[in-house]
């Protein structure tokens, strides 16, 4: 133990750097039970990795990289890996604020939940009413949310409140396969299934008055949180480049087949970065269309309502960013797989599970120094879906949500049970750890009122 | 012999599928994937022919299952039964029957097939394949 809640995994074997798990004893137990430690060590073997292979407090087992994994690579010697980004490229969270409060919601909860559920496609196979041609899809892939201003689905002001302004400029739609485009073209503006959701939440507690004021957050205010990603398009981009990299570099020397990678400076590495950025733009656009429809539903029910973006963060992404390492400034490629960027003064959004609180935090200089500007992204799973189905009861979950006055709209009871609060780690513990470490600071706590899942 | 079993996994879906032949094990892995999306019966209204290549048995399995997800996302095709499936030297040809997804209240969207913990192996007279699905 270097210091509290920092556990170092010593360099051994082929590891080029040590591993670091940022977790309390309590969180560490579930992380260590889960083969996550092996995955952290495997990542430490990759060429050009800098400082350490890191895991955030909500880490759990993933593919290749663990979920909650952060790793930065040297641009000359280093690699880029689709497994370090994840299949759901730019899966992320967006938080919208309204000029409404808990009082305004009274008596309209049911109507609001029904209208939102009706308007915003969730679940499996529910296609999107947002139709576009392949040419328009290419525009989305290259311009992200900027393109949606032209289409009337975004306001110029929105761009200021999205990571990267809702557009990663180094994109190229020709690097995204026809298969990926075919999978994604009917899915723009949809949540999908699994752990994706749209929640209407209430600001329950303010911790940092000054920042809350700056971000226009007040106690009892209604906010909307959206969690979704790049849908089939992004998933296919990941699969496509995993295959291409296997063909180019082979799998013989890898500690895990899912750690396939390409040198950042290679043609394939550059192509993947362009395709990944395009898929990320698709994901930004996806959350933007969901935002547009949310605005429409709110306007219908609350004619004087104003719905604005507080922020939108990516939590599955690789980015070229600049850091001071050993006193020298240098550009690196940071992989965040189930981790949130946490730059100084930037809003950080960390959702809990369906019946528990979510948090708005603020990024810090400390994170920029310690964790390549990264922090946790959620509560992190601790129980598998099979286990959930066998051991949890739908009835008690429904009762619990009813007691907490949470309205739930779920496409399938199966998903509902599999996303029970019990399958996640304690969000309060995760928040306590990131705050204690200083890699992000609490601004406000949110509690759910309406939950929509696939 | 059981067609397939689901195993515990923290965040995703893990299964093993079995068969007396490699073909049967591949077929049963497709049924495990189908069951993840929808646990009840699917009607047999549409026919699809697929032709898949792989570099090795694992990548053939990956590409075959990925084709099912692709058909689902792009054409809303949901598998009911595999009429025919042949494998020759890492090439697979199959005839699939199924229905349009919009006719069913589906349970789970699969994001991707993964190589995580994947294997294709023969034990005595039984083929076993293991797959983790990202959901």
């Amino acid at each position: 133990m270097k210091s509290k809640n920092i556990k170092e995994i010593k360099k051994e074997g082929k590891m080029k750097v040590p591993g670091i798990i940022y977790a309390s004893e309590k969180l560490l137990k579930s992380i260590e039970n889960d083969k996550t430690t092996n995955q952290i060590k495997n990542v430490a073997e990759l060429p050009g990795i800098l400082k350490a292979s890191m895991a955030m407090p909500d880490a759990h087992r993933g593919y290749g990289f663990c979920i909650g994994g952060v790793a930065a690579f040297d641009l000359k010697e280093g690699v880029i890996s689709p497994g370090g980004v994840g299949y759901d490229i730019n899966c992320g969270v967006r938080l919208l604020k309204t000029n409404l409060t808990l009082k305004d919601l009274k008596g309209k909860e049911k109507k609001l939940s029904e209208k939102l559920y009706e308007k915003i496609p969730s679940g499996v196979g529910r296609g999107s009413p947002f139709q576009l041609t392949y040419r328009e899809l290419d525009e989305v892939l290259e311009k992200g949310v900027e393109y949606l201003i032209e289409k009337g689905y975004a306001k110029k002001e929105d761009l200021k409140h999205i990571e990267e302004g809702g557009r990663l400029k180094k994109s190229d739609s020709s690097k995204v396969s026809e298969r990926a485009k075919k999978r994604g073209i009917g899915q723009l503006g949809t949540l999908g299934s699994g752990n994706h959701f749209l929640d209407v939440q209430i600001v329950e507690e303010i911790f940092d008055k000054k920042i809350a004021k700056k971000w226009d957050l007040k106690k009892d205010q209604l906010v909307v949180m959206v969690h979704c990603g790049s849908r089939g398009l992004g998933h296919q981009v990941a699969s496509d480049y995993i295959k291409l990299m296997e063909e180019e570099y082979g799998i013989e020397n890898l500690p895990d087949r899912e750690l396939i990678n390409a040198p950042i400076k290679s043609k394939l590495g550059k192509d993947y970065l362009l395709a990944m950025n395009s898929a990320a733009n698709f994901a930004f656009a996806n959350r933007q269309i969901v935002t547009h429809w949310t605005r429409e539903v709110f306007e219908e029910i609350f004619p004087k309502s104003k719905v604005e973006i507080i922020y939108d963060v990516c939590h599955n992404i690789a980015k070229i960013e600049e850091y001071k390492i050993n006193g020298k400034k240098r550009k690196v490629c940071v992989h965040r797989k189930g981790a949130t960027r946490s730059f100084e003064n930037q809003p950080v959004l960390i959702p809990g599970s369906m019946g528990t609180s979510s948090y708005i935090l603020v990024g810090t200089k400390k994170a920029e120094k310690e964790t390549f500007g990264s922090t946790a992204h959620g509560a992190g799973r601790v129980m598998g879906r099979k286990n959930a189905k066998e051991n949890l009861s739908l009835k008690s979950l429904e009762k619990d949500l009813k007691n907490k006055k949470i309205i739930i709209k779920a496409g399938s009871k199966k998903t509902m049970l599999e996303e029970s609060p019990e399958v996640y780690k304690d969000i309060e513990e995760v928040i306590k750890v990131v705050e204690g470490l200083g890699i992000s600071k609490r601004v406000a706590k949110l509690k759910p009122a309406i939950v929509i899942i696939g | 012999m059981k067609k397939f079993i689901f195993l515990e996994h923290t965040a995703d879906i893990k299964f093993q599928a079995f068969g007396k032949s490699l073909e049967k094990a591949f077929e049963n892995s497709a049924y495990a994937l189908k069951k993840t999306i929808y646990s009840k019966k699917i009607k047999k209204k549409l026919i699809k022919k697929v032709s898949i290549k792989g570099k090795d048995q694992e990548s053939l399995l990956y590409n075959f299952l990925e084709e099912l997800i692709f058909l689902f996302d792009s054409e809303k095709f949901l598998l009911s039964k595999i009429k025919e499936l042949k494998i020759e030297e890492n090439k697979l040809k199959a005839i699939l029957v199924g229905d349009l997804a919009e006719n069913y209240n589906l349970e789970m969207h699969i994001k991707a097939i993964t190589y995580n913990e994947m294997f294709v192996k023969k034990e005595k007279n039984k083929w076993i394949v293991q797959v983790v699905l990202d959901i």
Side-chain angles (χ1 to χ4, degrees):
Chain A
M1 276 283 181
K2 220 161 64 178
S3 71
K4 207 182 158 213
N5 294 342
I6 300 178
K7 156 107 191 218
E8 190 172 320
I9 306 170
K10 289 218 163 68
K11 229 168 89 171
E12 58 173 47
K14 290 182 189 166
M15 285 168 72
K16 294 185 172 62
V17 292
I20 299 177
I21 307 175
Y22 295 93
S24 58
E25 286 300 321
K26 193 174 155 194
L27 293 168
L28 202 58
K29 247 183 225 160
S30 69
I31 293 172
E32 283 176 340
N33 272 341
D34 198 28
K35 293 190 189 170
T36 312
T37 316
N38 275 341
Q39 295 190 325
I40 298 166
K41 285 186 192 170
N42 287 342
V43 170
E45 291 184 17
L46 296 176
I49 184 164
L50 298 166
K51 255 168 89 174
S53 163
M54 301 172 189
M56 297 296 119
D58 53 336
H60 64 82
R61 180 177 162 196
Y63 320 112
F65 285 61
C66 67
I67 310 294
V70 174
F73 294 84
D74 179 74
L75 292 190
K76 276 189 201 130
E77 313 287 325
V79 294
I80 186 161
S81 169
V85 172
Y87 284 96
D88 198 354
I89 295 167
N90 189 7
C91 186
V93 182
R94 178 179 284 209
L95 188 70
L96 312 172
K97 64 184 175 192
T98 72
N99 55 349
L100 305 166
T101 66
L102 190 54
K103 262 193 202 155
D104 300 298
L105 185 65
K106 280 259 153 66
K108 291 185 175 161
E109 302 91 338
K110 202 166 164 271
K111 194 175 173 196
L112 181 61
S113 68
E114 279 162 5
K115 287 276 175 193
L116 286 169
Y117 186 69
E118 201 182 288
K119 187 91 184 177
I120 296 154
S122 59
V124 203
R126 238 180 107 189
S128 173
F130 185 86
Q131 297 291 326
L132 71 173
T133 63
Y134 279 95
R135 243 179 96 179
E136 290 173 311
L137 179 61
D138 286 345
E139 298 265 3
V140 169
L141 293 173
E142 293 183 6
K143 294 185 189 155
V145 179
E146 272 179 33
Y147 177 65
L148 293 175
I149 297 177
E150 291 169 38
K151 298 282 281 182
Y153 280 75
K155 299 188 281 186
K156 221 173 171 183
E157 175 70 19
D158 292 343
L159 302 180
K160 286 188 208 155
H161 306 286
I162 306 174
E163 191 168 324
E164 304 294 335
R167 176 189 184 185
L168 284 149
K169 288 203 174 73
K170 284 194 171 167
S171 57
D172 182 348
S173 62
S174 73
K175 303 296 179 192
V176 176
S177 71
E178 290 307 309
R179 270 171 88 81
K181 289 175 189 173
K182 273 189 188 160
R183 276 184 73 178
I185 195 160
Q187 298 179 331
L188 206 50
T190 64
L191 295 176
S193 71
N195 60 3
H196 294 163
F197 64 79
L198 182 144
D199 276 11
V200 177
Q201 303 174 334
I202 296 152
V203 178
E204 195 183 16
E205 199 179 340
I206 302 270
F207 303 101
D208 188 322
K209 280 187 188 151
K210 215 172 128 194
I211 294 179
K213 198 175 172 200
K214 202 169 121 199
W215 293 347
D216 193 20
L217 284 167
K218 294 176 200 87
K219 193 171 181 308
D220 287 340
Q221 184 179 5
L222 292 191
V223 295
V224 179
M225 189 177 269
V226 181
H227 175 215
C228 58
S230 51
R231 312 289 285 107
L233 184 134
H235 314 158
Q236 191 63 39
V237 167
S239 294
D240 287 342
Y241 280 88
I242 287 172
K243 278 185 228 169
L244 290 170
M245 288 179 190
E246 283 199 350
E247 269 164 39
E248 185 81 20
Y249 298 103
I251 53 169
E252 293 74 23
N253 299 320
L254 293 172
D256 176 342
R257 195 164 179 169
E258 289 280 338
L259 282 179
I260 188 76
N261 59 73
I264 298 167
K265 61 178 186 191
S266 68
K267 165 125 193 351
L268 194 50
K270 284 180 189 156
D271 283 355
Y272 171 67
L273 189 62
L274 289 167
M276 184 205 63
N277 284 345
S278 306
N281 288 340
F282 182 91
F284 283 134
N286 192 26
R287 293 194 283 275
Q288 183 64 39
I289 293 165
V290 170
T291 302
H292 180 75
W293 287 335
T294 303
R295 282 172 168 158
E296 286 189 350
V297 169
F298 269 84
E299 270 162 33
E300 193 188 326
I301 300 177
F302 310 99
K304 283 183 183 163
S305 70
K306 272 198 188 126
V307 180
E308 305 296 341
I309 305 172
I310 291 187
Y311 208 63
D312 178 312
V313 292
C314 321
H315 56 220
N316 280 7
I317 197 96
K319 291 259 194 78
I320 310 293
E321 290 167 355
E322 198 176 73
Y323 292 94
K324 229 181 193 174
I325 300 171
N326 299 331
K328 259 206 257 118
K329 266 192 184 177
R330 63 201 272 200
K331 280 193 175 166
V332 302
C333 178
V334 182
H335 292 60
R336 295 192 186 94
K337 184 188 193 180
T340 311
R341 195 182 74 177
S342 182
F343 286 178
E344 195 180 17
N345 296 328
Q346 167 220 310
V348 169
L349 312 169
I350 305 187
S353 59
M354 135 182 17
T356 63
S357 305
S358 295
Y359 282 85
I360 311 176
L361 303 93
V362 62
T364 62
K365 250 214 150 69
K366 179 97 186 278
E368 291 179 29
K369 261 193 196 157
E370 282 257 332
T371 54
F372 292 107
S374 310
T375 186
H377 85 307
R381 274 190 95 93
V382 64
M383 188 194 288
R385 290 165 205 271
K386 188 170 173 275
N387 204 336
K389 268 179 281 181
E390 287 164 3
N391 296 309
L392 301 177
S393 122
L394 189 62
K395 263 199 184 144
S396 75
L397 171 63
E398 281 173 334
K399 206 175 138 193
D400 180 48
L401 292 173
K402 210 176 161 188
N403 285 341
K404 289 180 180 161
K405 295 201 172 90
I406 299 170
I407 297 179
I408 177 141
K409 296 292 242 177
S412 113
K413 299 270 179 198
K414 195 170 133 188
T415 308
M416 209 173 131
L417 196 58
E418 288 174 8
E419 294 297 325
S420 296
E422 288 95 331
V423 311
Y424 286 93
K425 289 174 200 171
D426 181 5
I427 183 75
E428 307 296 339
E429 182 76 9
V430 171
I431 299 297
K432 212 164 80 187
V433 172
V434 297
E435 168 125 354
L437 290 165
I439 54 173
S440 35
K441 294 275 176 193
R442 290 181 303 176
V443 175
K445 182 177 178 173
L446 312 169
K447 66 172 182 189
I450 296 169
V451 177
I452 293 171
I453 57 170
Chain B
M1 195 190 298
K2 268 197 169 176
K3 284 186 172 173
F4 52 81
I5 52 166
F6 287 99
L7 303 168
E8 192 48 43
H9 190 282
T10 319
D12 291 298
I13 303 277
K14 180 173 167 181
F15 66 79
Q16 285 183 352
F18 313 100
K20 277 186 182 157
S21 62
L22 181 63
E23 280 87 351
K24 266 280 169 246
F26 268 54
E27 228 180 279
N28 288 334
S29 71
Y31 292 142
L33 181 137
K34 183 249 137 194
K35 196 172 177 186
T36 306
I37 302 173
Y38 189 62
S39 50
K40 293 176 212 153
K41 241 190 160 148
I42 310 278
K43 286 182 184 160
K44 299 182 190 70
K45 286 185 176 170
L46 301 166
I47 295 192
K48 292 266 171 218
K49 283 186 185 171
V50 296
S51 181
I52 313 285
K53 278 188 221 158
K55 271 177 65 185
D56 47 36
Q57 285 174 337
E58 276 85 12
S59 72
L60 188 67
L61 178 65
Y62 183 107
N63 293 346
F64 170 54
L65 295 177
E66 189 198 86
E67 185 68 18
L68 296 176
I69 304 183
F70 173 71
L71 288 173
F72 177 77
D73 269 354
S74 61
E75 298 176 28
K76 300 203 186 309
F77 175 79
L78 199 55
L79 176 73
S80 170
K81 198 156 174 51
I82 295 176
K83 259 186 115 177
E84 205 184 291
L85 189 148
K86 278 185 195 155
I87 298 174
E88 265 171 41
E89 286 174 31
N90 297 329
K91 279 184 192 147
L92 179 153
K93 280 192 170 155
I95 301 173
L96 319 170
V97 286
D99 195 3
L100 280 181
E102 56 209 29
N103 300 330
Y104 304 87
N105 186 16
L106 304 175
E107 294 151 18
M108 181 66 70
H109 186 262
I110 298 168
K111 287 180 180 169
I113 313 302
T114 74
Y115 280 118
N116 188 239
E117 298 182 60
M118 182 187 272
F119 62 73
V120 177
K121 66 180 178 190
K122 197 181 179 185
E123 270 179 12
K124 288 176 193 165
N125 294 321
K126 185 176 167 187
W127 283 89
I128 308 174
V129 308
Q130 178 169 289
V131 181
V132 176
L133 304 171
D134 186 5
I135 54 168

